[in-house]
């Protein structure tokens, strides 16, 4: 405890506490703890992926202090997203191991690096895989959330500022994942990738807003924007698609048609507003023709959440001419090509894309959390499982078997 002595000397005058409420020992220990850790490496537990497709291993890692514009966060809850599984399996991209995955989480700021002004120790935050630097053309635009500096980069395994990792095991660097790496008790994140939220929000619920739920919800609320009483087709009833359906329900769509190859998902989708269902495998003609026949020429809006290029084409071709809008959310294979007849555009159908539901990380996500606190948004129904950190591999099993929407991992 010798390190407390010099810290007391400098922190005591800065405490802004009414004398009648001042408790010297408690406050000095807390303040000293924060000051000490700002310049120290933290040893903690992390779930490390050593190679593709192999179970994660709980290891003791060293987490370096935050550098300029960085924040070290204590992760309290994290969730498993399909993107984590995709890159853990190393399908369709260059493998990068060993790595700490995880990007849907909630935590508390432990310490901040030089230049961080809007965050301080104790703030509740959601780390997000994309960011908002506040200075680039995209951040200054009201129409874009695609930050030039902090846009998602799945191939980068280091921090932006110096090209180095903040994680290591016995001197061996461990790669980061999309700037968040939340499968660790402590992680280091660029400040622009942290949404500061209301501390009243339960982190074990709102952590799911860090990725998939916000992506699907925003695709409907911010981009498709169906009118009350309109019809909406949702392609893919995973977490993102269910969130898109939830957005349609919130806006008052009267017909929400779920489209999925797995009929087992239809019953669950009713909780999110879906009231009609189509399985393309049940029909001999293209699903866009089936939907057009069901809806007198096509739906008013469609949201595609699968990444399948055929689903994307179907989502566009199933909207009504004259006013129909299709929104693409899923990420296709790098070699895919979208093909449709130009007359579909000339007949006044609109095709749009979206990234993270068009939400800006720091500006907009705190407001989505407030929607939940005001009971305008339901999150509990997305959370189907919960496991302790030591059993994180069970979360992978649930997702691979298609049993979970979101599994919360308690750190």
């Amino acid at each position: 405890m010798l390190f407390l002595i010099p810290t007391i000397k400098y922190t005591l005058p800065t405490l802004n506490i009414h004398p009648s409420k001042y408790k010297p020992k408690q406050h000095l220990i807390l303040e000293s703890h924060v000051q000490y850790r700002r310049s120290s490496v933290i040893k903690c537990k992390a779930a490390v992926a050593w190679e593709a497709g192999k179970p994660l291993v709980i290891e003791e890692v060293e987490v370096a202090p935050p550098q300029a514009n960085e924040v070290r966060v204590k992760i309290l809850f994290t969730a498993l997203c399909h993107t984590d599984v995709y890159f853990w399996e190393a399908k369709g991209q260059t493998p990068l191991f060993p790595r700490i995955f995880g990007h849907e989480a909630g935590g508390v700021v432990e310490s901040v690096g030089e230049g961080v002004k809007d965050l301080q120790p104790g703030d509740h935050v959601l780390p997000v895989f994309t960011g908002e630097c506040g200075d680039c053309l995209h951040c200054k635009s009201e129409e874009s959330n695609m930050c030039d500096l902090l846009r998602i980069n799945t191939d980068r395994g280091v921090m932006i500022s110096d090209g180095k990792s903040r994680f290591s095991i016995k001197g061996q660097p461990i790669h980061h994942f999309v700037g968040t790496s939340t499968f660790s008790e402590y992680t280091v994140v660029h400040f622009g990738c942290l949404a500061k939220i209301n501390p009243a929000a339960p982190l074990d619920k709102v952590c799911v807003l860090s990725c998939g739920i916000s992506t699907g919800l925003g695709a409907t609320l911010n981009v498709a924007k169906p009118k009350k009483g309109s019809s909406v087709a949702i392609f893919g009833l995973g977490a993102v698609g269910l969130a898109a359906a939830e957005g349609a329900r919130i806006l008052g769509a009267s017909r929400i048609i779920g489209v999925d190859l797995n009929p087992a998902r239809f019953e669950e989708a009713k909780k999110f507003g879906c009231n009609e269902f189509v399985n393309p495998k049940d029909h001999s003609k293209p699903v866009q023709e089936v939907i057009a026949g069901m809806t007198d020429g096509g739906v008013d809006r469609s949201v595609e959440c699968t990444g399948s290029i055929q689903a994307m084409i179907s989502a566009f071709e199933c909207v009504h001419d004259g006013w129909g809008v299709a929104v693409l959310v899923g990420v296709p294979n790098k070699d895919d090509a979208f093909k449709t007849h130009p007359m579909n555009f000339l007949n006044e159908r609109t095709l749009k894309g979206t990234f993270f539901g068009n939400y800006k990380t720091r500006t907009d996500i705190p407001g989505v959390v407030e929607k939940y606190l005001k009971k305008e948004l339901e999150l509990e129904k997305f959370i189907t499982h919960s496991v302790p950190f030591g059993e994180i591999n069970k979360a992978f099993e649930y997702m691979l078997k298609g049993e979970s929407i979101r599994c919360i991992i308690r750190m």
Side-chain angles (χ1 to χ4, degrees):
M1 298 293 287
L2 292 176
F3 66 86
L4 293 178
I5 296 174
T7 310
I8 292 173
K9 179 179 178 181
Y10 294 105
T11 58
L12 182 58
T14 64
L15 292 172
N16 185 20
I17 302 171
H18 192 279
S20 65
K21 299 179 180 179
Y22 179 51
K23 298 178 181 179
K25 184 177 180 180
Q26 291 183 15
H27 285 286
L28 289 176
I29 289 176
L30 175 60
E31 189 71 15
S32 302
H33 179 66
V34 172
Q35 293 286 349
Y36 177 65
R37 281 196 166 175
R38 279 180 184 161
S39 58
S40 303
V41 169
I42 288 179
K43 290 185 178 181
C44 69
K45 298 296 183 183
V48 179
W50 288 99
E51 51 184 310
K54 300 294 184 181
L56 307 187
V57 181
I58 303 296
E59 304 274 14
E60 182 178 76
V61 300
E62 294 188 340
V63 185
Q67 302 302 305
N69 296 321
E70 296 174 0
V71 178
R72 191 159 56 185
V73 179
K74 179 177 177 60
I75 300 297
L76 298 179
F77 299 94
T78 186
L80 178 64
C81 171
H82 187 266
T83 302
D84 295 306
V85 176
Y86 180 77
F87 282 89
W88 166 71
E89 292 178 318
K91 291 182 177 179
Q93 86 288 143
T94 304
L96 191 61
F97 296 94
R99 202 170 201 180
I100 297 175
F101 288 103
H103 64 284
E104 280 192 1
V108 178
V109 172
E110 178 270 339
S111 57
V112 302
E114 182 183 353
V116 178
K117 300 176 182 178
D118 298 332
L119 292 168
Q120 60 185 3
D123 285 344
H124 286 211
V125 292
L126 301 183
V128 181
F129 65 90
T130 186
E132 182 183 356
C133 72
D135 295 324
C136 70
L137 287 176
H138 284 277
C139 286
K140 291 178 179 179
S141 168
E142 295 181 358
E143 300 181 44
S144 175
N145 67 336
M146 302 186 73
C147 176
D148 283 330
L149 178 66
L150 301 172
R151 192 181 306 183
I152 185 173
N153 184 334
T154 57
D155 292 329
R156 185 176 60 236
V158 294
M159 299 301 291
I160 290 176
S161 63
D162 59 4
K164 297 180 180 179
S165 174
R166 302 290 176 261
F167 299 109
S168 63
I169 297 178
K170 298 178 181 179
Q172 177 185 1
I174 307 297
H175 295 295
H176 292 248
F177 179 63
V178 295
T180 53
S181 292
T182 61
F183 292 168
S184 174
E185 293 175 329
Y186 287 87
T187 189
V188 178
V189 182
H190 191 286
F191 80 90
C193 293
L194 290 170
K196 179 181 175 180
I197 64 169
N198 188 334
L203 291 172
D204 61 332
K205 305 295 190 300
V206 298
C207 64
V208 299
L209 292 173
S210 292
C211 179
I213 309 309
S214 293
T215 297
L217 188 72
T220 305
L221 297 183
N222 300 331
V223 187
K225 300 178 181 179
K227 297 178 181 178
K228 186 174 182 179
S230 61
S231 58
V232 182
I234 308 293
F235 285 74
L237 298 176
V240 176
L242 293 176
E246 179 76 357
R249 182 193 67 80
I250 290 172
L251 292 178
S254 61
R255 299 183 69 179
I256 304 177
I257 304 169
V259 183
D260 203 291
L261 296 172
N262 182 3
R265 292 178 171 177
F266 293 166
E267 189 63 32
E268 187 75 27
K270 292 178 181 178
K271 300 177 184 178
F272 302 85
C274 287
N275 46 32
E276 297 179 61
F277 301 94
V278 176
N279 184 340
K281 293 190 296 185
D282 292 340
H283 302 274
S284 59
K285 57 184 178 181
V287 68
Q288 54 265 46
E289 295 181 17
V290 174
I291 294 173
M294 294 169 56
T295 56
D296 192 23
V299 289
D300 302 306
R301 300 289 187 269
S302 70
V303 185
E304 183 284 322
C305 306
T306 71
S308 160
I309 194 65
Q310 186 54 57
M312 294 179 179
I313 295 169
S314 296
F316 176 55
E317 294 183 353
C318 82
V319 298
H320 206 289
D321 57 8
W323 61 79
V325 177
V327 178
L328 306 186
V329 180
V331 179
N333 185 286
K334 62 183 178 67
D335 296 322
D336 284 336
F338 186 96
K339 297 180 181 180
T340 190
H341 197 282
M343 282 305 300
N344 288 317
F345 292 99
L346 296 177
N347 285 333
E348 300 181 7
R349 292 180 176 91
T350 299
L351 179 65
K352 292 185 174 184
T354 181
F355 172 70
F356 191 48
N358 276 44
Y359 285 122
K360 291 179 184 286
T361 298
R362 295 193 293 154
T363 301
D364 298 330
I365 294 303
V368 182
V369 171
E370 293 301 319
K371 284 181 179 292
Y372 168 75
L373 290 174
K374 294 175 183 177
K375 302 188 184 304
E376 298 172 5
L377 171 64
E378 299 175 27
L379 293 179
E380 285 81 359
K381 59 190 178 184
F382 288 97
I383 301 169
T384 54
H385 296 78
S386 177
V387 297
F389 187 35
E391 299 177 12
I392 188 171
N393 287 303
K394 283 187 177 180
F396 281 74
E397 292 174 13
Y398 293 141
M399 180 160 286
L400 289 170
K401 291 178 181 178
E403 296 176 356
S404 68
I405 300 176
R406 277 296 182 266
C407 179
I408 302 299
I409 300 153
R410 307 185 302 274
M411 307 299 283

